[in-house]
Amino acid sequence: MIVVTLFLKAPPGSSVECPQLTLECGYGVAGDLSAAAGSPRQVLIVSQQTLREFDLAPGDLHENILMDAPTETLVSGQVIQIGEALIRPTFLCEPCSQLETIRKGLAKQIKGKRGVLGTVVRSGTIAVGDPMIQTSYRLPALAEDARGRFAEFVARIPPGKVVTMADLVLALGVTRAYYRVFPTWIKKAPADLPVHRIVAIDGSLLTRSIPDQAEQLAREGIALIAGKVDDHDRWQPENFHQGI
């Protein structure tokens, strides 16, 4: 499996072809629109076969790495090497409404074949012509469904730390539309899932969903300031997917 083309995603949503890319551990592709600490969507890998099947041009799917062989068989949690960099596949890239600007109905047709997302676990340069090598390294797999990723992520929030709703959007790799479903997931979470470590975007408590949240946080040493959790008690994004 060989790298055919490389792209940087640049505002406003365009793809710029590059002979090589620099990948930064825990961050993504240097200069790329999707690069972000804490995100499971730092790199998108797509196959030429997908482009041919759906009559698309390189860059149409806003991929970073275009390979000459199918990529959907990549397993979440395995670690692959391209050039100097190591990449951890996370989950399949779900089709979005932007694909409808290419061709009506494309988002539905391409479901399950849009490519594989990943995070960078070792920095390095990759170039056109580099092979993809499956290494012996393994990390825990991430769920394909957002609710499964929610349970996995919340279970790892350290005692004495909190995350905001915005942090959840970032860490789960979902759209802002999920703000509407998070309260339901919190209310229906099993008793052993520490959802009390989730706060609103501004640090205020979610007392409608977690009536005793202040007491639970106090037991972990988190004091409120004017009814809000201070920023120094937040779990920082660079730690969200590190070493798991």
Side-chain angles (χ1 to χ4, degrees):
M1 192 179 295
I2 303 295
V3 175
V4 176
T5 318
L6 296 170
F7 293 96
L8 271 180
K9 293 190 291 293
S14 59
S15 292
V16 179
E17 187 173 344
C18 303
Q20 64 179 35
L21 297 175
T22 299
L23 276 58
E24 299 180 7
C25 180
Y27 181 69
V29 181
D32 190 80
L33 194 63
S34 295
S39 171
R41 308 176 63 94
Q42 295 171 354
V43 181
L44 176 58
I45 307 172
V46 171
S47 72
Q48 275 186 320
Q49 179 177 316
T50 295
L51 300 188
R52 289 193 293 266
E53 181 178 349
F54 295 97
D55 193 24
L56 299 170
D60 277 353
L61 296 179
H62 300 296
E63 68 272 16
N64 297 113
I65 304 171
L66 182 63
M67 306 299 299
D68 66 347
T71 58
E72 286 72 30
T73 56
L74 292 175
V75 177
S76 177
Q78 72 178 131
V79 177
I80 58 173
Q81 179 173 355
I82 301 177
E84 302 169 341
L86 294 181
I87 300 170
R88 172 202 189 186
T90 50
F91 46 86
L92 295 176
C93 184
E94 68 283 0
C96 64
S97 59
Q98 291 181 346
L99 297 183
E100 296 299 291
T101 63
I102 298 175
R103 185 169 63 247
K104 187 173 177 61
L106 179 60
K108 183 177 180 180
Q109 295 163 5
I110 205 172
K111 187 175 181 180
K113 297 183 178 181
R114 191 188 168 173
V116 179
L117 294 161
T119 61
V120 182
V121 295
R122 188 178 77 189
S123 301
T125 300
I126 66 175
V128 171
D130 283 343
M132 177 187 290
I133 302 168
Q134 295 192 15
T135 74
S136 60
Y137 302 117
R138 292 292 184 273
L139 294 167
L142 295 184
E144 286 294 335
D145 66 295
R147 191 163 187 175
R149 297 199 296 275
F150 170 84
E152 184 275 334
F153 176 70
V154 173
R156 292 190 293 103
I157 303 171
K161 293 295 181 181
V162 300
V163 299
T164 68
M165 292 284 204
D167 292 331
L168 281 181
V169 167
L170 173 68
L172 304 186
V174 296
T175 67
R176 295 179 180 178
Y178 277 79
Y179 284 133
R180 296 193 295 269
V181 301
F182 287 156
T184 300
W185 291 359
I186 290 170
K187 288 179 181 178
K188 294 184 177 181
D192 61 344
L193 195 66
V195 292
H196 63 279
R197 297 172 190 157
I198 304 171
V199 297
I201 293 175
D202 64 354
S204 58
L205 302 187
L206 307 176
T207 51
R208 287 188 177 182
S209 302
I210 317 168
D212 63 342
Q213 186 174 20
E215 291 79 3
Q216 292 191 69
L217 292 177
R219 287 195 290 270
E220 297 183 0
I222 298 178
L224 302 182
I225 300 174
K228 298 180 180 180
V229 175
D230 189 77
D231 193 59
H232 79 268
D233 290 317
R234 280 184 60 198
W235 196 29
Q236 296 304 310
E238 57 264 28
N239 299 315
F240 288 173
H241 299 290
Q242 187 179 52
I244 65 168

